[in-house]
């Protein structure tokens, strides 16, 4: 029965909830003597109640509701009873590995949604003037592309962290499995709302939703705000879970500086998600209620009565402060896990210890903390308080230091390594090259004098695409290939993987470098049209072709995954000779990962050091079986 | 057991009295014209510290025996 | 914040289920992390108040402010009393104190929504109205959630769900309520006391 799928019940719940919410609001409005139909309030309440309906339908609230009624709620394990095993991926499941896959697959699906939007407006930009879509659609697509991509990235990050961290630290699961499921499922109605927003008027504000424009944009902007709010909630509860898990549930011997490096990155990421996310939520909520109730946080106009009260007016700059207080640190949420993946994979494919493990670990934390002090570099041209410019410029340039530490360590690790170039490693190297472009285009934006020229041009577009592709996207792809045999028990097709690499990474070089170039020649970002006299049309054509190439390579990627998961060659437990504990157990990983807790007895990345061991899978001298020694091909 | 219980209830009363005195204090500090924001902040921090320590048992986060 | 720590021990206790004392400590840490997160939102509101109002404030009813603040303080006292009571197996006192806490919480809401919000400042009156209603509204939402939480715990307590040894539900409810009080410890001076009233 199709109704046995949680997702389907969720969507039905969402529709019923939305209708109910809208009806109740209309009744209340009639009771208050207003016209029954008020577009905004009715839709916003409908969307809110609909989201609750989704969660009820999917069943992530069931255990909590039972608890409220004083009923017992024993933990469920394994696939749902009496249904095929695959259905667990479409409903409430408490196993972190299932949730990790749910996040990852949702992330990849959203990448395709956002990518399609981008290719549409890229086609429009091939020629000057307007051909296929009108300006409002163009603006909506640009904004939706941005925010759906951010959603996709957050899902991808959630997938990596949920799947890998408990395995890496030897925890039986996340600390709060029910909250974990809630964290995933609350993001789904969020994504649905954002997509709905495109169809109910769209929004012409870009992903940043600045007032005063967003205070007047079409209804779609409210759906966008609500969707972001729900996805933010997902980030927050996910980080609560992750930080508790890492603090309290490490296996014996897993001291902080013996954790796999990715765990450090996950902790740094979670610190940002835990705290900063509240501020984007707040800033969007403030605009949302400004529109609904006329509360003028960002409205410079005063009513008669307000003037009598001597009230100061609202201020749009406040929004930007609140917004960027999240949205700058958020860029580190995107890249820290990716950089962690790079550091995690390099030693495996170089057969060498990670160069400067402690420095890398601490640089993740430093980047996260210093990242809180730089937000106003997005506001140099916004009419912000002048005295803030120089301090924020210095703070911004300071972040380059811990980032540089990472590059230094990667180079050190690569140096004289026995490098092998399987697909994951290719993507790691591609990531480093692309992140270098992003890193080098950053400091000119952080310097006030140059940023005043670069702000809001395609240079910025080139900059942040390079940072995100190098810092998240390509490392994420590398991670998917790398752990694919662990997750499915089968190998992906190496040849298709290499084709994917040789299309997407060079394609991306062309895309971002050309974006930066036409930016310097006067192309403004988020504008549907341009002056042919600027001489940048060839650039636009190149970017569009590169964009389509990347899109096609992604189809190859998904094809590879789907086909290999069914018919790929059966994988051995440890195809890469990794020392990490998750590679010492069978693939695919059993329901309860480790048959018994393992013990950490050495350093994680001492590849090629004879006789060194990281984990002892059979502590207390139990007879061999199951895991086997943790050397993990250390001497290979 | 009875003794301990009485002592625990007494802590609650003492904290309430202290918080109340500080609140009245805030109210009067605010009547002094000019330059009182910092004092008000310090009082608020003192109050929040008392709440976190005695009502919210923040120390149970790191103490070994796990609160009660 | 896995609130779902059942009182009844699940029949099949498998080895990967955490022991109660471990789960309890996880729960505490998780809830405090969530407080940290929420603190950033409340600090965001406080910063907005200083950004927009500067060193001024609207002319609010001082007596009302002092009354609602005191009511919330006393409610926190009773919440603490309820938690102490269950920790010492004093069931009648536990249930009584919970109800008093909820009643005081509702009294606080009546003070804010029923009186303060009906005063001479409306939500659309410039930055004064926006920030006043924004801060009190966001706080009031948390008070409402706390009152509901208290009533759920009271109802479960009535059925005997908590014991001196196992009452994470009560503890969570109590510190959640104190947290809501703690936020008001900062909001009260920021709204009613700091800065000066500008007379036209
Ligand atoms: C060397 C380090 C970096 C520096 C100095 C830097 C600096 C800047 C500055 C100053 C801006 C604002 C430019 C403007 O709008 O005028 C900017 C924009 C941006 N940066 Fe970076 N950045 C760095 C690394 C990163 C990283 C690692 C990411 C991560 C993914 C990133 C993502 C972004 C994004 C998304 C924007 C555009 C936001 C928008 O307006 O839509 N940057 N960068
Ligand atoms: Cu930034």
């Amino acid at each position: 029965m199709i109704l046995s799928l949680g997702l389907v019940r969720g969507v039905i719940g969402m529709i019923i909830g939305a209708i109910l919410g809208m009806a109740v609001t209309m009744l209340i409005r009639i009771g208050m003597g207003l016209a029954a139909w008020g577009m905004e309030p009715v839709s916003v309440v409908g969307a809110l109640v609909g989201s609750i309906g989704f969660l009820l339908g999917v069943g992530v609230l069931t255990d909590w509701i039972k608890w409220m009624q004083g009923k017992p709620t024993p933990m469920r394990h394994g696939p749902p009873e009496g249904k095929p095993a695959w259905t667990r991926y479409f409903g409430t499941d408490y196993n972190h590995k299932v949730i990790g896959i749910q996040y990852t697959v949702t992330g990849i699906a959203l990448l395709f949604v956002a990518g399609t939007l981008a290719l549409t407006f890229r086609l429009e930009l091939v020629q000057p003037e307007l051909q296929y879509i009108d300006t409002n659609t163009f603006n909506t697509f640009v904004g939706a592309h941005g925010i759906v991509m951010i959603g996709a990235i957050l899902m991808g990050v959630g997938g990596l962290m949920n799947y890998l961290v408990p395995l890496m630290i030897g925890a039986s699961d996340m600390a709060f499995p029910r909250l974990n499921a809630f964290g995933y499922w609350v993001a789904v109605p969020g994504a649905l709302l954002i997509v709905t927003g495109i169809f109910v008027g769209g929004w012409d504000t870009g992903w940043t939703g600045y007032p005063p424009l967003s205070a007047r944009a079409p209804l779609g902007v409210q759906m966008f705000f609500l969707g972001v709010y729900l996805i933010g909630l997902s980030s927050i509860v996910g980080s609560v879970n992750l930080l508790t898990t890492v603090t309290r549930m490490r296996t014996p011997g897993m001291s902080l500086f013996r954790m796999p490096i990715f765990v450090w990155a996950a902790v740094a990421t979670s610190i940002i998600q835990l705290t900063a996310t509240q501020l984007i939520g707040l800033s969007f909520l403030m605009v949302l209620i400004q529109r609904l109730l006329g509360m003028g946080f960002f409205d410079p106009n005063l009513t008669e009565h307000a003037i009598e009260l001597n009230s100061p007016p609202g201020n749009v700059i406040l929004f930007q402060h609140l917004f960027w207080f999240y949205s700058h640190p958020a860029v580190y949420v995107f890249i820290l896990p990716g950089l962690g993946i790079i550091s995690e994979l390099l030693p495996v494919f170089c057969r060498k210890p990670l160069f400067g493990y402690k420095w890398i670990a601490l640089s993740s934390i430093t980047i996260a903390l210093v990242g809180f002090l730089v937000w106003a570099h997005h506001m140099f041209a916004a009419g912000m308080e002048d005295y803030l410019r120089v301090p924020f410029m210095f703070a911004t340039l300071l972040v380059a230091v811990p980032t540089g530490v990472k590059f230094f360590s990667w180079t050190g690790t690569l140096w004289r390594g026995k490098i092998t170039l399987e697909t994951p490693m290719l993507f790691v190297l591609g990531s480093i090259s692309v992140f270098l472009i992003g890193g080098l285009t950053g400091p000119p934006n952080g310097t006030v004098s140059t940023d005043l020229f670069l702000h809001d041009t395609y240079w910025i577009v080139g900059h942040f695409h390079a940072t995100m592709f190098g810092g998240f996207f390509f490392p994420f792809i590398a991670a998917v290939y790398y752990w694919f045999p662990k997750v499915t028990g089968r190998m992906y097709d190496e040849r298709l993987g290499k084709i994917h690499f040789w299309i997407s990474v060079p394609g991306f070089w062309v895309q971002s470098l050309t974006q930066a170039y036409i930016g310097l020649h006067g192309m403004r970002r988020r504008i549907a049209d341009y002056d042919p006299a600027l001489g940048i049309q060839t650039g636009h054509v190149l970017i569009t072709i590169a964009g389509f190439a990347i899109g096609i390579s992604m189809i190859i990627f998904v094809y590879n995954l789907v086909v290999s998961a069914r018919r790929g060659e059966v994988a051995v437990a440890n195809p890469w000779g990794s020392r990490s504990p998750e590679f010492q157990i069978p693939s695919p990983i059993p329901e309860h990962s480790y048959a018994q807790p393992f013990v950490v007895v050495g350093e994680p990345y001492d590849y090629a050091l004879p006789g060194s061991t990281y984990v002892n899978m059979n502590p207390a001298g139990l007879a061999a079986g199951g895991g086997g020694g943790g050397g993990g091909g250390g001497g290979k | 057991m009875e003794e301990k219980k009485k002592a625990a209830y007494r802590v609650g009363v003492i904290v309430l009295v202290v918080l109340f005195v500080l609140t009245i204090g805030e109210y009067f500090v605010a009547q002094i014209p000019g330059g009182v924001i910092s004092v008000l902040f310090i009082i608020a921090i003192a109050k929040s510290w008392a709440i976190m320590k005695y009502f919210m048992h923040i120390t149970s986060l790191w103490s070994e025996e796990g609160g009660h | 914040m896995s609130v779902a720590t059942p009182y009844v021990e699940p029949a099949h206790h498998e080895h990967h289920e955490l022991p109660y004392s471990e789960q309890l400590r996880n729960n505490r840490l998780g809830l405090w992390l969530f407080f940290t997160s929420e603190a950033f939102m409340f600090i965001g509101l406080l910063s907005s108040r200083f950004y927009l109002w500067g060193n001024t404030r609207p002319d609010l009813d001082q007596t009302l402010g002092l009354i609602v603040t005191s009511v919330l303080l006393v409610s926190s006292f009773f919440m603490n009393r309820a938690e102490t009571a269950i920790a010492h197996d004093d069931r009648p006192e536990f249930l009584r104190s919970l109800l008093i806490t909820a009643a005081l919480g509702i009294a606080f809401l009546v003070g804010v929504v029923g009186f303060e919000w009906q005063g001479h400042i409306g939500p659309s009156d410039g930055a004064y109205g926006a920030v006043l209603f924004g801060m009190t509204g966001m706080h009031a939402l948390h008070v409402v959630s706390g009152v509901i939480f208290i009533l759920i715990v009271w109802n479960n307590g009535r059925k005997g769900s908590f014991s001196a040894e196992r009452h994470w539900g009560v503890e969570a409810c109590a510190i959640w309520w104190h947290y809501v009080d703690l936020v008001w410890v900062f909001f009260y001076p920021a709204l009613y006391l700091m800065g000066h009233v500008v007379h036209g």
Side-chain angles (χ1 to χ4, degrees):
Chain A
M1 252 303 266
I2 186 136
L3 266 185
S4 70
L5 291 187
L7 180 63
V8 177
R9 274 180 283 127
V11 171
I12 295 175
M14 190 161 189
I15 294 169
I16 297 176
I19 294 173
L20 227 99
M22 294 170 92
V24 170
T25 325
M26 287 180 0
L27 284 180
I28 293 177
R29 284 175 63 89
I30 293 173
M32 286 165 64
L34 298 164
W37 182 252
M39 189 67 172
E40 290 234 356
V42 173
S43 320
V44 168
V45 178
L48 262 182
V49 181
S51 307
I52 298 173
F54 184 95
L55 295 174
L56 284 172
V58 128
V60 272
L61 303 180
T62 315
D63 272 1
W64 289 333
I65 294 174
K66 280 194 190 152
W67 181 86
M68 290 177 196
Q69 299 164 338
K71 293 181 190 157
T73 52
M75 185 46 111
R76 256 192 306 112
H77 293 285
E81 273 159 42
K83 296 183 198 170
W86 58 266
T87 55
R88 68 190 307 194
Y89 293 97
F90 293 87
T92 302
D93 196 286
Y94 296 141
N95 190 311
H96 76 95
K97 293 188 286 294
V98 173
I99 295 174
I101 290 170
Q102 288 174 328
Y103 268 116
T104 308
V105 172
T106 315
I108 295 177
L110 289 181
L111 283 177
F112 274 88
V113 174
T116 312
L117 291 165
L119 293 181
T120 317
F121 69 71
R122 273 316 318 169
L123 272 183
E124 177 57 57
L125 284 167
V126 165
Q127 291 169 55
E129 300 187 356
L130 293 179
Q131 287 87 32
Y132 313 109
I133 48 181
D134 61 31
T135 46
N136 185 49
T137 313
F138 182 92
N139 290 344
T140 300
F141 279 18
V142 171
H145 161 71
I147 199 69
V148 176
M149 276 297 181
I150 289 173
I153 296 178
L154 290 175
M155 296 293 101
V157 167
L160 294 178
M161 300 206 305
N162 270 296
Y163 194 92
L164 296 176
V165 168
L167 288 177
M168 287 178 161
I169 63 170
S172 52
D173 201 307
M174 292 295 251
F176 311 117
R178 294 179 183 82
L179 190 67
N180 203 16
F182 174 81
Y184 166 71
W185 281 107
V186 77
V188 177
L192 290 177
L193 283 182
I194 293 177
V195 175
T196 314
I198 301 177
F199 297 101
V200 293
W203 64 98
D204 47 6
T205 63
W207 78 277
T208 49
Y210 278 10
L213 190 53
S214 60
R216 294 171 204 174
L219 175 66
V221 76
Q222 297 283 49
M223 300 299 125
F224 157 67
F225 286 154
L226 283 173
V228 172
Y229 207 83
L230 294 183
I231 294 178
L233 189 58
S234 160
S235 286
I236 291 171
V237 299
S239 59
V240 165
N241 219 336
L242 190 121
L243 289 172
T244 310
T245 310
V246 176
T247 314
R248 305 239 340 119
M249 296 172 70
R250 298 192 309 274
T251 201
M254 181 72 78
S255 60
L256 290 181
F257 285 111
R258 282 183 170 178
M259 298 193 301
I261 200 77
F262 178 75
V263 180
W264 276 97
V267 167
T269 306
S270 300
I271 292 174
I272 301 173
Q273 284 190 312
L274 180 73
T275 54
T277 310
Q278 290 282 358
L279 277 295
I280 191 178
L282 180 66
S283 64
F284 281 5
L285 189 65
M286 282 158 92
V287 185
L288 186 138
I289 59 177
Q290 171 168 338
R291 290 172 61 113
L292 279 185
L293 308 174
M295 288 159 66
F297 295 104
F298 312 119
D299 185 354
N301 304 308
L302 286 173
T303 57
E304 285 289 305
H305 189 221
I307 294 170
E308 270 166 41
L309 292 169
N310 290 310
S311 170
N315 186 337
V316 287
I317 299 291
L318 171 64
F319 175 90
Q320 298 186 20
H321 280 303
L322 295 173
F323 176 84
W324 286 113
F325 187 84
Y326 167 75
S327 297
H328 179 80
V331 304
Y332 298 116
V333 170
F334 309 155
I335 63 160
L336 284 173
L339 304 188
I341 294 288
I342 297 180
S343 303
E344 187 73 45
L345 266 51
L346 267 184
V348 179
F349 291 95
C350 296
R351 310 313 303 172
K352 263 187 66 192
L354 179 64
F355 188 80
Y357 169 96
K358 274 196 186 174
W359 287 95
I360 290 253
L362 294 177
S363 79
S364 292
I365 305 287
T366 320
I367 290 178
L369 297 183
V370 181
F372 276 104
L373 305 175
V374 304
W375 75 87
H377 65 212
H378 294 273
M379 301 163 61
F380 287 149
M384 166 186 75
E385 300 76 355
D386 280 343
Y387 64 89
L388 290 179
R389 282 178 162 180
V390 173
F392 275 100
M393 174 172 102
F394 278 120
T396 301
L397 298 179
L398 198 65
V399 189
V401 177
T403 318
V405 167
K406 286 195 192 290
F407 270 103
F408 191 62
S409 144
W410 296 333
T411 325
T413 308
L414 281 165
W415 184 253
R416 295 194 164 171
K418 292 204 191 71
I419 301 173
T420 49
L421 292 178
E422 288 95 343
T423 306
M425 181 59 170
L426 281 179
F427 273 100
V428 165
L429 296 177
S431 305
I432 296 177
S433 73
V434 169
F435 192 65
L436 193 62
I437 301 178
L440 292 180
T441 46
N445 314 339
T447 313
V448 179
S449 45
T450 35
D451 183 58
L452 293 179
F453 293 92
L454 298 171
H455 180 66
D456 261 357
T457 66
Y458 250 64
W459 168 274
I460 305 294
V461 177
H463 158 69
F464 69 72
H465 279 86
T467 53
M468 300 216 193
F469 268 72
F472 170 78
F473 183 78
F474 288 136
F476 172 73
I477 305 274
V480 171
Y481 280 122
Y482 180 77
W483 275 284
F484 183 83
K486 202 71 231 164
V487 175
T488 60
R490 288 174 187 275
M491 263 331 245
Y492 62 86
D493 182 328
E494 188 69 43
R495 200 175 46 94
L496 285 179
K498 291 216 162 91
I499 294 177
H500 177 196
F501 171 81
W502 285 112
I503 300 179
S504 60
V505 171
F508 187 78
W509 290 333
V510 173
Q511 178 183 311
S512 66
L513 291 176
T514 320
Q515 281 171 336
Y517 175 86
I518 64 171
L520 290 180
H521 285 76
M523 180 64 202
R524 306 204 11 94
R525 71 187 277 208
R526 292 175 177 159
I527 306 286
D529 190 10
Y530 51 90
D531 184 346
L534 290 172
I536 54 178
Q537 194 188 348
T538 325
H540 273 299
V541 174
L542 271 180
I543 298 171
T544 305
I545 294 174
F548 273 89
I550 295 170
I552 291 167
S553 77
M554 283 302 287
I555 293 174
I556 300 177
F557 170 62
V558 170
Y559 171 84
N560 190 352
L561 297 188
V562 172
V563 172
S564 304
R566 296 230 199 119
R567 291 201 290 273
E569 190 185 312
V570 175
V572 296
N574 192 356
W576 316 116
S578 162
R579 292 162 61 91
S580 203
E582 78 273 17
F583 278 102
Q584 317 311 325
I585 51 176
S587 319
I589 302 178
E591 179 77 20
H592 294 298
S593 312
Y594 301 104
Q596 67 181 96
F598 59 85
V599 176
V600 176
V601 294
E603 304 300 325
Y605 297 104
D606 283 350
Y607 286 94
L609 289 189
S612 82
T613 325
Y614 178 35
V615 284
N616 179 358
M617 302 304 287
N618 288 305
L622 290 178
K636 199 172 131 189
Chain B
M1 187 72 196
E2 271 309 301
E3 282 308 299
K4 270 177 138 180
K5 188 166 98 181
K6 284 222 179 79
Y9 281 146
R10 201 158 43 232
V11 171
V13 177
I14 295 172
V15 176
L16 176 69
V17 171
V18 170
L19 288 174
F20 210 74
V21 170
L22 285 175
T23 307
I24 303 289
E26 275 180 323
Y27 184 79
F28 284 106
V29 168
Q31 313 305 317
I32 310 167
V36 289
I37 290 190
S38 50
V39 181
L40 287 171
F41 253 114
I42 291 169
I43 301 181
I45 289 171
K47 283 167 74 178
S48 66
W49 173 79
I51 293 178
M52 286 197 285
K53 180 151 187 341
Y54 294 103
F55 283 172
M56 300 172 78
H57 322 296
I58 190 171
T59 50
S60 70
L61 281 179
W62 50 85
S63 72
E64 264 316 308
E65 64 274 36
H68 19 249
Chain C
M1 254 204 337
S2 169
V3 277
T5 305
Y7 169 60
V8 194
E9 195 71 64
H12 54 98
H13 189 82
E14 295 172 57
H15 74 277
H16 36 258
E17 225 81 62
L18 292 179
Y20 181 77
S21 62
E22 286 294 306
Q23 187 68 48
L24 177 66
R25 305 197 57 159
N26 286 359
N27 290 353
R28 282 188 185 137
L29 178 59
L31 189 52
W32 275 93
L33 285 171
F34 188 65
F35 289 160
T36 314
S37 175
E38 289 259 294
F40 272 73
M41 187 265 296
F42 287 118
I43 291 172
L45 278 171
L46 267 181
S47 315
S48 306
R49 178 249 176 259
F50 286 102
Y51 196 87
L52 293 177
W53 290 6
N55 198 19
T56 74
R57 64 178 162 86
D59 191 8
L60 298 175
D61 186 341
Q62 289 293 321
T63 326
L64 185 57
L66 197 56
I67 291 176
V68 293
T69 307
S70 313
V71 166
L72 205 57
L73 265 186
V74 177
S75 82
S76 234
F77 165 77
F78 277 102
M79 188 76 242
N80 176 257
R81 204 172 168 82
E83 196 196 351
T84 312
I86 192 69
H88 294 88
D89 251 338
D90 186 348
R91 217 160 269 281
E93 178 65 52
F94 161 62
L95 293 174
R96 190 167 52 235
S97 296
L98 271 185
L99 280 187
I100 299 178
T101 313
L104 288 170
I106 292 171
F108 175 85
L109 285 174
V110 170
V112 171
V113 178
F115 290 92
E116 191 59 80
W117 284 13
Q118 314 301 327
H120 62 299
I121 301 180
S124 51
D125 288 335
Y128 278 166
V131 171
L132 175 67
F133 279 75
M135 286 172 70
T136 52
M138 185 51 98
H139 182 258
L141 271 182
H142 283 75
V143 176
V144 171
S145 75
V147 171
I148 295 174
F149 199 171
I150 292 173
L151 293 179
I152 291 170
V153 167
W154 174 79
N155 188 36
N156 281 349
R158 218 167 37 104
K159 298 189 217 154
S161 293
F162 305 108
S163 66
E165 293 75 34
R166 291 196 166 209
H167 55 269
W168 162 248
V170 182
E171 185 183 333
C173 173
I175 54 179
W176 177 251
W177 187 258
H178 296 310
Y179 184 70
V180 173
D181 185 23
L182 188 137
V183 169
W184 191 254
V185 162
F186 288 92
F187 276 22
Y188 167 62
L191 290 172
Y192 287 85
L193 304 178
M194 292 179 177
H196 53 86
V197 178
V198 188
H199 292 284

